[in-house]
Amino acid sequence: MNLLITGIVIADPNSQFNQKKCDVRVEQGKITAIGNNLTASKNEQVFDGQGAVLSPGFFDLNCSIGDPGFETKEDINTATEAAKAGGFTGIAVLPNTKPVVQSKAEVEYIINRAKNNLVDVLPIGAVSQGLEGKELAELYDMKQAGAVAFSDGGKAIVDDGFMSRAIQYTQGFNGLLMVYPENKSIAGKSQINESKTSVLLGMKGLPSLAEEMHISRDIFLATYHNAPVHISNISTAGSVALIKKAKKDGVKITCDVAAHHLVFTEELLNDFDSNYKVKPPLRGKSDVKALLTGLKDGTIDAIGSQHRPHEIEFKDVEFEIASYGIIALQTVLPLLIKAGLDATQIAEKLSINPRKLLRLAVPVIEEGAEANFTVYNPTLQWEYNVASNYSKSANSPLLNKKLTGKVQLVFNNKQLQSYG
C-alpha cells in the first residue's frame, strides 16, 4: 500500500516535524519521505490532509473485550474494528474473561486470535488466580508468553500482604503491576460519588477516601520495595495530589485516567441514565479540573478508554442493578478534544506514554520509520449511532449524538483503514 498524505500537521513530540505542516509518503509500510510539495507517483493513493492532524497511532492500556468466554459483549474482531475507528493501532486487553487470563495458554490464545490485524492486541495477565486476590497467577510464564503487564482488572487487590508479595515477585523479571484503587471496606455497595448528588438521588455514595486510601497504600508499598506500580483509572483531586507528591519524592508511581472522567460529572446522573454508571464513578467539577491540571503538569501519565462493553440486559435496567461501564474506544478522541487537549498533548498521553509505560517501542513520525499512525480532523463533526458504532455492544451515553473530532485514517502493520 503506497500512500501520499498532503498538507497535514504532524503532532509528535519525538519528531523533528512536530507541529509542522508537511506531506508524508508511505511505501511498503514505511514512511519514505516527509517534506513539502511532494508529487504523487503512479499507483499511489493520495489523501488531502488539509485541516487534519497526523499522530503516532493511539494506544489503549485499559480495554476489556470479553474474549474468551464473554464474546456476546465483545470479541477480538469487533474490539479491533471499534479500536481502528477510534484511532487506536494498539490495545492492551484486561484479563477479566472466562477463563481468566492467568496462564500462558490464555495469553497465547489472545495473541494467536489477533494475528495479522492492523491493531496490535496485547494481553494483560491476571495478578491473582481467578482475580480473587489470594494466590499469585503464573506471572513469569505469562510474561514469557507475551503478557505486557499484570492486573486484576476492575477488582482492587485488597490484601496488603498479597500486594506486597506481588510487587516483590514481579521485580524479579521487570514486570509491571497495574492496579485498580478502591478500599473495599469503605466503598461497600456504593453506586455513585458521595456528595450532595448522592444524597439528593437517595443512593449510597462512594467517597473519594476509598480511592485515595488505596493509592496511599500502594505508594507506601512502592516506596518500601523501590518498585514501580501503576494506578489505573484515578478520578479524584485527592488522588492527583497524592501521586504528584509521591513522584516528587521519587516514588516509582505512574497512573492513568479514563477519558470520560475528564469531561463527564456527577450531575449527569440526575436522570438515572445507567449508561453514565461507571466505576470509579463520575465525580465533581473540582475533580475534573484537578485531573486536567494533573494531565498537563505530568502527574497523570496516560489516558485510557476504560472500554467496558455489556449486553443490553446488563444496562437497560434500573440504575441500582445496572452493570458499571461504557463502550469507549470510538469516543476517546472527541472527549479529549471537548476537554481542551491540543494535538501534542493527545499524542503524548494517548500514543507515546501508554507504550512507554508498557516498555513497548514507540512509533515516531520520521523518514525510514515503520508507519504506525492515526490521522484525524479535530473540527470535523460526525454522528455516533448504530451505523457508525463498530462495537458489539451499545452501552454509551454518547450514542445518537453529534461528536467533534473524527478519525480519518489509521495505518499499522502495512495495513491502511480509512473512514469517510
Side-chain angles (χ1 to χ4, degrees):
M1 168 60 67
N2 295 337
L3 173 69
L4 178 64
I5 302 172
T6 61
I8 196 161
V9 175
I10 293 174
D12 180 5
N14 295 327
S15 171
Q16 62 178 309
F17 301 101
N18 187 38
Q19 299 184 342
K20 294 180 180 178
K21 193 172 186 179
C22 303
D23 301 338
V24 179
R25 170 168 282 131
V26 179
E27 297 176 289
Q28 303 300 316
K30 284 194 173 184
I31 298 173
T32 56
I34 301 176
N36 295 307
N37 302 315
L38 298 182
T39 305
S41 59
K42 194 176 180 181
N43 300 322
E44 187 171 55
Q45 183 175 334
V46 178
F47 176 83
D48 181 0
Q50 187 67 34
V53 173
L54 187 148
S55 162
F58 301 159
F59 188 96
D60 185 23
L61 45 65
N62 200 300
C63 180
S64 289
I65 59 171
D67 193 352
F70 298 118
E71 290 90 351
T72 52
K73 297 178 185 291
E74 195 87 278
D75 58 40
I76 287 176
N77 290 333
T78 57
T80 52
E81 287 300 314
K84 282 188 288 187
F88 292 95
T89 60
I91 56 175
V93 295
L94 293 168
N96 47 314
T97 51
K98 189 176 182 181
V100 171
V101 180
Q102 60 186 18
S103 72
K104 66 178 183 180
E106 293 87 27
V107 170
E108 289 171 349
Y109 165 83
I110 292 171
I111 290 172
N112 288 331
R113 285 276 286 117
K115 272 182 178 177
N116 304 317
N117 203 301
L118 183 151
V119 179
D120 300 317
V121 181
L122 305 176
I124 297 172
V127 179
S128 65
Q129 294 180 22
L131 308 179
E132 294 176 351
K134 295 177 181 177
E135 299 291 334
L136 286 173
E138 297 176 10
L139 305 182
Y140 180 73
D141 285 352
M142 286 191 285
K143 172 80 170 177
Q144 294 298 102
V148 292
F150 304 98
S151 169
D152 274 357
K155 288 191 173 184
I157 296 174
V158 176
D159 189 293
D160 303 339
F162 177 83
M163 180 64 182
S164 181
R165 291 189 294 276
I167 292 173
Q168 285 180 288
Y169 187 72
T170 52
Q171 268 186 297
F173 55 88
N174 206 28
L176 177 66
L177 293 178
M178 302 172 64
V179 295
Y180 177 74
E182 182 182 87
N183 185 301
K184 300 290 287 185
S185 62
I186 291 176
K189 295 181 179 179
S190 54
Q191 296 286 322
I192 63 175
N193 182 46
E194 183 183 79
S195 65
K196 291 179 181 178
T197 301
S198 63
V199 175
L200 178 67
L201 299 181
M203 285 189 285
K204 180 172 173 54
L206 175 62
S208 300
L209 181 67
E211 178 174 309
E212 292 156 15
M213 282 186 67
H214 206 81
I215 288 174
S216 296
R217 182 206 69 175
D218 290 336
I219 288 172
F220 275 115
L221 288 173
T223 303
Y224 180 75
H225 293 294
N226 190 30
V229 173
H230 181 82
I231 312 293
S232 298
N233 307 319
I234 72 167
S235 67
T236 76
S239 296
V240 175
L242 285 167
I243 293 168
K244 184 173 184 176
K245 182 181 183 304
K247 286 189 168 189
K248 187 177 179 181
D249 292 342
V251 184
K252 298 175 181 177
I253 285 284
T254 54
C255 66
D256 67 67
V257 63
H260 48 262
H261 279 114
L262 301 173
V263 176
F264 298 158
T265 57
E266 60 187 346
E267 288 80 12
L268 292 166
L269 300 170
N270 288 336
D271 293 330
F272 296 98
D273 184 348
S274 63
N275 282 319
Y276 285 110
K277 186 177 180 181
V278 293
K279 203 167 188 182
L282 301 181
R283 304 287 190 180
K285 292 178 182 177
S286 60
D287 294 300
V288 171
K289 184 178 179 181
L291 291 169
L292 287 168
T293 300
L295 267 176
K296 292 170 184 176
D297 69 17
T299 301
I300 300 174
D301 300 273
I303 299 166
S305 74
Q306 207 189 21
H307 181 74
R308 302 291 186 270
H310 290 295
E311 303 92 336
I312 189 170
E313 60 265 30
F314 289 93
K315 292 297 278 188
D316 192 15
V317 292
E318 294 85 352
F319 191 94
E320 289 82 357
I321 61 173
S323 295
Y324 295 98
I326 62 176
I327 55 169
L329 285 167
Q330 288 182 244
T331 56
V332 169
L333 176 65
L335 287 178
L336 298 190
I337 290 170
K338 188 173 184 178
L341 273 67
D342 63 34
T344 300
Q345 290 167 336
I346 291 171
E348 181 185 1
K349 304 296 183 179
L350 201 58
S351 302
I352 297 167
N353 286 2
R355 290 181 172 93
K356 279 186 177 178
L357 288 168
L358 298 178
R359 305 178 184 98
L360 303 172
V362 176
V364 181
I365 309 304
E366 64 183 7
E367 293 180 354
E370 292 290 331
N372 181 343
F373 59 75
T374 299
V375 171
Y376 65 91
N377 188 313
T379 61
L380 198 62
Q381 286 194 329
W382 61 288
E383 186 173 331
Y384 186 39
N385 53 32
V386 173
S388 59
N389 175 32
Y390 288 89
S391 173
K392 191 176 284 190
S393 294
N395 53 302
S396 170
L398 295 174
L399 275 173
N400 302 314
K401 288 184 169 62
K402 280 197 172 179
L403 306 178
T404 300
K406 180 174 175 56
V407 172
Q408 296 179 299
L409 297 177
V410 282
F411 200 113
N412 187 33
N413 296 327
K414 299 183 180 180
Q415 299 176 55
L416 170 69
Q417 179 70 51
S418 62
Y419 298 94

